Amino acid sequence: ILNVEQSPQSLHVQEGDSTNFTCSFPSSNFYALHWYRWETAKSPEALFVMTLNGDEKKKGRISATLNTKEGYSYLYIKGSQPEDSATYLCAFLDGGATNKLIFGTGTLLAVQP
Amino acid sequence: DTAVSQTPKYLVTQMGNDKSIKCEQNLGHDTMYWYKQDSKKFLKIMFSYNNKELIINETVPNRFSPKSPDKAHLNLHINSLELGDSAVYFCASSHLDRPSTDTQYFGPGTRLTVL
């Protein structure tokens, strides 16, 4: 059974704080790691797809790093804003021919003004 | 403009009924998925179809049957609904041949409530 774990489970920060979350995944048979942003009452939206060890991706104030050898990825948010409040999901692509994504349980971020 | 659409958005029904949820994507993707968001907000894959062929079939009760009339549609039919089927069901789509670069695009979800 493949496990994808995220920590912390939830996080409350003040506007302007920078924050980061962790995603742990199996380090063997790695194909890709996806990060999604999921606002309440909406559908998950893709942030990044990361494939290579040492990858760093950035979108605005959000960035992510990938370590496939040790099986973790960090998501960073610089200068959090209230609109960043959402659940951040990582998903491990279980390789092979099926594109099966194994999702973590997510980190719920609440940014207070 | 909607990329992945699902109908209905809300579905309230009695135990024992049979119901269907429809999903359509206009992104030209060849693969579609059904996910269930359980009570702990956890997203779990149920089924996936590639060009109308079933490629992922997780351990779900056989009361759940996906049907893909063409690669732009993947419907989910549920027989003899039970209380435990209450959840939000999400449809998604992607390109199968670009697993390392292409993300999955999700529909808005269907909240199913079984009374």
Side-chain angles (χ1 to χ4, degrees), chain A residues 31-32 34 36 38 41-51 89 93 96-105, chain B residues 33 35 37 41-43 45 48 55-56 58 90 94-109:
Chain A
Y31 277 78
H34 293 221
Y36 285 83
W38 194 2
K42 293 188 177 180
S43 52
E45 289 184 358
L47 285 173
F48 307 115
V49 180
M50 309 181 78
T51 55
L89 295 172
L93 185 66
T98 62
N99 264 7
K100 179 177 168 182
L101 282 179
I102 313 289
F103 279 88
T105 50
Chain B
Y33 313 81
Y35 288 88
Q37 181 192 6
K41 309 291 185 188
F42 187 53
L43 263 183
I45 183 77
S48 175
I55 58 170
I56 296 176
E58 293 296 287
F90 285 92
S94 74
H95 287 290
L96 185 65
D97 61 350
R98 305 174 203 172
S100 295
T101 56
D102 214 22
T103 60
Q104 292 184 13
Y105 291 78
F106 283 80

Side-chain angles (χ1 to χ4, degrees), chain A residues 1-59:
Chain A
I1 296 176
L2 296 174
N3 268 339
V4 179
E5 296 183 357
Q6 291 187 245
S7 63
Q9 197 169 28
S10 64
L11 198 52
H12 294 252
V13 301
Q14 292 295 123
E15 183 175 352
D17 288 349
S18 293
T19 186
N20 65 85
F21 331 128
T22 305
C23 172
S24 302
F25 53 85
S27 55
S28 59
N29 203 29
F30 177 86
Y31 277 78
L33 188 83
H34 293 221
W35 279 100
Y36 285 83
R37 181 172 178 275
W38 194 2
E39 288 184 69
T40 303
K42 293 188 177 180
S43 52
E45 289 184 358
L47 285 173
F48 307 115
V49 180
M50 309 181 78
T51 55
L52 298 174
N53 185 43
D55 252 357
E56 288 189 30
K57 298 255 174 151
K58 188 174 179 183
K59 185 184 282 191

Side-chain angles (χ1 to χ4, degrees), chain B residues 9-56:
Chain B
K9 194 168 181 181
Y10 300 96
L11 184 54
V12 181
T13 188
Q14 299 286 331
M15 245 184 357
N17 283 351
D18 302 340
K19 289 293 178 186
S20 291
I21 307 171
K22 295 186 177 181
C23 179
E24 176 180 0
Q25 55 94 6
N26 62 5
L27 296 167
H29 289 156
D30 56 9
T31 306
M32 296 182 73
Y33 313 81
W34 276 110
Y35 288 88
K36 180 180 180 180
Q37 181 192 6
D38 65 19
S39 56
K40 296 182 181 178
K41 309 291 185 188
F42 187 53
L43 263 183
K44 192 169 179 188
I45 183 77
M46 299 172 70
F47 301 103
S48 175
Y49 268 75
N50 171 250
N51 283 322
K52 302 194 292 177
E53 181 185 345
L54 183 66
I55 58 170
I56 296 176

Side-chain angles (χ1 to χ4, degrees), chain B residues 74-112:
Chain B
L74 180 62
N75 303 324
L76 183 65
H77 189 76
I78 315 171
N79 287 329
S80 302
L81 279 155
E82 299 177 358
L83 293 176
D85 298 332
S86 296
V88 183
Y89 293 85
F90 285 92
C91 176
S93 70
S94 74
H95 287 290
L96 185 65
D97 61 350
R98 305 174 203 172
S100 295
T101 56
D102 214 22
T103 60
Q104 292 184 13
Y105 291 78
F106 283 80
T110 295
R111 181 175 293 276
L112 171 65

